[in-house]
Amino acid sequence: MRKALAAVAGLGVAALVLAGCSGSPGDGGSKGGSDDASQVEVFTWWASGSEKTGLDALVKVFGEQFPKTKFVNAAVAGGAGSNAKNALASRLKADNPPDSFQAHAGAELTDYIEANKIEDLSSFYKDNGLNDVFPKTLLDRLTVDGKIYSVPSNIHRANVVWVNNAVLTKAGIDPKTAPADIDAWLADMKKLKDAGVETPLSVATDWTQVQLFENVLLADLGADGYTGLWDGKTKFDDAKVTKAIKDYTSLLSYANTDGTGQDWPVATDMVIDGTAAYNVMGDWALAEFDAKNKTYGTDYTTWPTPGTDGTFDFLADSFTLPVGAPHAGGAKNWLKTISSADGQKAFNLAKGSIPARTDAVATDYPEYQQGAMASFAKDTVVSSLAHGAAVKVSWLNDITSAIGQFVSTKDGKALQDALVQAQTKGLGK
Ligand code: GAL
């Protein structure tokens, strides 16, 4: 059976058509699917800096656990997979898959599942006891029609503000006390500006702008209202979305205007070096602060984005077994390492995320991650928009282009109209 599906290939980029898919998930595909374990080609976007350090930590454990399987690094640079997703779509379209690729748990995987590009890993879960070691919140987001198609290496939090203590203290603001809501946060940004801080808030390229917007939506709509956006219970023409767009506009008025085109470390580094006071970034930023030898609590502080306390904005990197992977045996070894207690510990200590496994020992991790683990266990978990958990890639792409236009025009009405349209299309109405 041949199907042509519009599967989408990257943030802010036009859809590519994945055509000519043969086989069905689980049957090994029309070719490949061998158990060759001599090597494994792993496709990620952890190509440099602190993200590569995380991948290297994982590869080290892999080398210890599977010395006979050669690791081949197929990383494509660009935060949040901004370039990698395109490159991957081309390879999948050409039936030239890597042995395993990085994706996000949640809606993003549906694109690959619907296109019959990844294998059902339910029996891998059974054979390796994984149903017992991952939390239900995560398993629910990984399960599609009763099947699981990927193995998570970690859990990241997307609603975190990274704060430069010295910059705030100098302006008479206590960095340890989080503003109660977006209004209070904006008031502090005004204080910073009045005190001569040119860039209270740093932003980088389009997906970081989407992530900031997602945080504002979460703050202004609350967890239920925000989650309703993705299943249609909340409409994008809601007055609270109008308020969120207004708040977003105000926040951007305190941000650098040269972010577009810059990858996330540029914005995070502005807080690290004191050029900016705040950066909203997922907790991969922790690894960047570590790499620059900054001390948590002394040099910098974190809090949940004002108005989102009590909510954990979730995403998880999750690895797949593509249909037709040339070294399926190698891929399964890789999936074993990333889901093992040792693999998860080494990786998450280096990456800033928390382990997906529930048997991890909190005291093995530094203060920030202990806090994130406690929050994930007790807070309301919602799905990240910018990082593939909430919506499929085509919907995210539509939102990303709408935000991209808004950032240059500041036309709130046009943004809200585009968001309404994207929702209608995304929900297939
Ligand atoms: C996310 C990914 C994280 C981190 C981040 C920045 O999408 O899940 O692991 O890599 O992008 O590149």
Side-chain angles (χ1 to χ4, degrees):
M1 188 172 64
R2 292 178 73 84
K3 273 201 223 179
L5 280 171
V8 185
L11 301 177
V13 190
L16 289 182
V17 175
L18 286 176
C21 317
S22 53
S24 60
D27 72 359
S30 56
K31 62 170 186 150
S34 88
D35 270 342
D36 186 342
S38 60
Q39 66 175 63
V40 60
E41 188 197 16
V42 177
F43 186 97
T44 69
W45 53 85
W46 297 327
S48 62
S50 53
E51 296 187 313
K52 174 149 192 316
T53 306
L55 179 61
D56 289 346
L58 197 48
V59 173
K60 183 164 178 281
V61 178
F62 182 65
E64 287 156 13
Q65 292 183 348
F66 297 101
K68 291 191 181 132
T69 306
K70 186 177 163 223
F71 177 83
V72 179
N73 189 349
V76 173
S82 39
N83 303 319
K85 287 183 194 172
N86 260 342
L88 176 67
S90 305
R91 288 192 59 173
L92 295 181
K93 188 179 166 190
D95 280 332
N96 175 28
D99 296 311
S100 185
F101 65 83
Q102 175 189 2
H104 288 121
E108 179 179 304
L109 280 170
T110 56
D111 291 319
Y112 303 112
I113 295 168
E114 284 171 9
N116 290 344
K117 290 297 181 185
I118 51 179
E119 299 280 2
D120 173 13
L121 291 169
S122 304
S123 49
F124 180 87
Y125 268 67
K126 243 179 243 135
D127 295 349
N128 293 283
L130 297 184
N131 294 304
D132 302 325
V133 295
F134 293 138
K136 190 173 176 305
T137 18
L138 179 55
L139 288 170
D140 285 350
R141 284 174 167 80
L142 288 165
T143 306
V144 178
D145 294 334
K147 295 173 182 170
I148 301 192
Y149 294 84
S150 68
V151 177
S153 50
N154 59 311
I155 293 171
H156 270 306
R157 186 176 196 181
N159 59 323
V160 187
V161 182
W162 303 82
V163 183
N164 182 302
N165 287 3
V167 173
L168 265 72
T169 308
K170 201 163 157 236
I173 302 168
D174 174 14
K176 305 278 173 183
T177 310
D181 52 25
I182 301 261
D183 285 342
W185 194 26
L186 284 165
D188 283 351
M189 292 205 195
K190 177 158 188 326
K191 256 191 216 164
L192 285 159
K193 196 91 190 184
D194 291 348
V197 178
E198 206 182 306
T199 310
L201 177 68
S202 63
V203 292
T205 200
D206 54 6
W207 66 264
T208 73
Q209 298 161 5
V210 174
Q211 191 179 328
L212 177 63
F213 183 57
E214 137 186 2
N215 274 261
V216 181
L217 286 171
L218 186 55
D220 284 345
L221 278 77
D224 285 350
Y226 169 86
T227 299
L229 292 168
W230 318 127
D231 63 14
K233 285 201 185 91
T234 309
K235 301 278 178 275
F236 267 95
D237 58 8
D238 194 289
K240 287 186 181 156
V241 175
T242 317
K243 159 88 166 93
I245 292 175
K246 198 169 151 270
D247 284 343
Y248 185 54
T249 314
S250 305
L251 286 171
L252 286 180
S253 74
Y254 290 107
N256 52 309
T257 51
D258 59 354
T260 303
Q262 312 269 32
D263 210 345
W264 70 267
V266 178
T268 301
D269 288 354
M270 288 174 76
V271 173
I272 292 176
D273 67 23
T275 333
Y278 310 113
N279 177 225
V280 173
M281 189 50 62
D283 45 18
W284 45 91
L286 185 69
E288 185 71 8
F289 280 87
D290 282 350
K292 302 276 158 73
N293 295 316
K294 296 295 173 189
T295 307
Y296 184 75
T298 311
D299 297 318
Y300 70 102
T301 305
T302 65
W303 1 273
T305 303
T308 73
D309 201 6
T311 308
F312 189 105
D313 188 11
F314 154 97
L315 64 124
D317 295 299
S318 213
F319 285 80
T320 58
L321 173 59
V323 169
H327 310 93
K332 284 182 191 154
N333 289 348
W334 172 249
L335 297 177
K336 279 181 196 159
T337 291
I338 65 172
S339 54
S340 70
D342 285 350
Q344 297 230 331
K345 184 171 163 193
F347 178 63
N348 287 292
L349 278 171
K351 187 71 166 44
S353 38
I354 59 173
R357 292 179 65 108
T358 48
D359 57 1
V361 181
T363 48
D364 286 348
Y365 291 82
E367 192 181 344
Y368 169 81
Q369 280 148 303
Q370 289 191 24
M373 284 182 203
S375 162
F376 183 74
K378 73 173 176 6
D379 287 349
T380 305
V381 177
V382 300
S383 296
S384 168
L385 164 67
H387 301 283
V391 298
K392 56 187 180 180
V393 185
S394 52
W395 187 354
L396 173 57
N397 281 350
D398 288 345
I399 294 178
T400 304
S401 16
I403 291 284
Q405 285 194 11
F406 173 77
V407 166
S408 52
T409 63
K410 301 291 174 339
D411 184 340
K413 166 92 177 60
L415 172 59
Q416 196 159 4
D417 287 349
L419 293 171
V420 169
Q421 274 180 33
Q423 188 187 42
T424 308
K425 193 172 134 200
L427 291 171
K429 286 181 188 146

